[in-house]
Amino acid sequence: MKFSITCLSAFMLLAAMPSFSQNTKSTVVELTTLVNVATPSVTLTWQNPNPSYFVLYRREKDAVDWFILLEAINSTTSTFTDTQVAVGQTYEYGILRQIGNVNAYGFALVPIEAPVVDERGDLSVFVEEALTSPLSMELERLLKDLVGDGWDVQWHIVPTTATVASVKSQVVADYTANGTDDVLLFGDLPIPYSGNAAWDGHDEHQGAWPSDAYYGDVDSGAWTDSDVNTNANVIPPARPQTINTPGD
């Protein structure tokens, strides 16, 4: 039996499980996939060095609902063949593996002779001006690769005098004029800071953090500079950028 859960619920489930500081490799599940068009089927394999609890999910690409394909407790299973697939479709697979108190995650995007995507929409690229000379060949190659991959590219060179507001203004202008779907920020560009949090649990980090989401939010108008005041924190901030005061 398969159980349908929303994408948000799936990731809330994963995030709710306890997690402790580990090295990068211990928190990653390397999913390997093998497609058999004749069957059709997708065989997934992953490392499972010790008996573990794991959940394997699947959804069609960009769908809302995830489905649980396999769930096991204290299991040494390290492979699964999904036969509920169709030629011409693309599927997303996610896995959570828990060994002791360590959570590890994996993801795989698997097309089964899916049609080529040759029109991806509009992309705004913002490039740090200081990089245009030393990386001229690489940037030219990047532009050609993006165009060849199906993007309609709006290319912007960002001067050293640029501000967060000026970059955001250009993002909004591109969106208004072209319906831009995505933004690529390349280099040392103005960094928007926002919020009042200490995501890593350290009190001296309480305050504003980098928020590229500010550039991606083109129509909500919900960003203010009046609600947060971290200047009076008891513990001095570790970085001046963390300080968030009204009107700054």
Side-chain angles (χ1 to χ4, degrees):
M1 179 179 293
K2 297 178 182 178
F3 300 89
S4 174
I5 55 178
T6 66
C7 177
L8 177 60
S9 298
F11 285 105
M12 288 177 65
L13 172 64
L14 300 185
M17 297 186 176
S19 180
F20 298 86
S21 177
Q22 301 290 330
N23 61 53
T24 302
K25 191 171 184 179
S26 68
T27 56
V28 173
V29 179
E30 298 177 13
L31 274 176
T32 301
T33 62
L34 178 63
V35 174
N36 186 328
V37 177
T39 311
S41 65
V42 177
T43 299
L44 302 105
T45 58
W46 60 91
Q47 71 274 29
N48 194 13
N50 299 294
S52 65
Y53 164 77
F54 66 85
V55 187
L56 180 66
Y57 300 93
R58 191 205 77 190
R59 68 177 181 181
E60 290 190 13
K61 181 185 176 184
D62 298 328
V64 174
D65 290 339
W66 289 84
F67 297 89
I68 296 178
L69 292 175
L70 186 64
E71 182 176 15
I73 299 174
N74 196 33
S75 172
T76 58
T77 299
S78 60
T79 186
F80 177 82
T81 298
D82 182 11
T83 59
Q84 302 301 310
V85 296
V87 174
Q89 297 296 321
T90 299
Y91 298 94
E92 297 178 77
Y93 292 91
I95 188 170
L96 159 68
R97 185 197 66 203
Q98 185 181 57
I99 300 178
N101 290 322
V102 179
N103 292 335
Y105 307 94
F107 177 83
L109 181 68
V110 183
I112 306 177
E113 293 193 348
V116 173
V117 178
D118 52 14
E119 293 186 8
R120 299 184 182 275
D122 289 271
L123 173 68
S124 293
V125 180
F126 292 81
V127 178
E128 179 191 357
E129 184 178 34
L131 299 179
T132 57
S133 178
L135 295 181
S136 60
M137 293 179 60
E138 289 83 355
L139 289 171
E140 182 180 359
R141 174 63 182 271
L142 172 62
L143 176 58
K144 291 179 179 179
D145 285 347
L146 291 171
V147 172
D149 199 36
W151 292 100
D152 292 324
V153 179
Q154 306 296 321
W155 192 268
H156 302 287
I157 304 301
V158 181
T160 55
T161 56
T163 64
V164 168
S166 66
V167 174
K168 173 64 175 287
S169 178
Q170 185 61 64
V171 171
V172 174
D174 285 359
Y175 176 79
T176 302
N178 307 305
T180 299
D181 300 282
D182 294 273
V183 173
L184 172 62
L185 307 174
F186 191 94
D188 186 8
L189 303 179
I191 303 172
Y193 283 82
S194 179
N196 183 21
W199 300 109
D200 57 1
H202 294 274
D203 292 339
E204 67 272 19
H205 293 167
Q206 184 75 31
W209 282 63
S211 180
D212 287 350
Y214 174 71
Y215 287 142
D217 185 2
V218 295
D219 54 12
S220 75
W223 299 81
T224 67
D225 192 16
S226 59
D227 297 336
V228 178
N229 188 349
T230 62
N231 200 35
N233 286 351
V234 176
I235 299 177
R239 302 170 65 235
Q241 294 91 336
T242 306
I243 298 174
N244 192 356
T245 59
D248 64 352

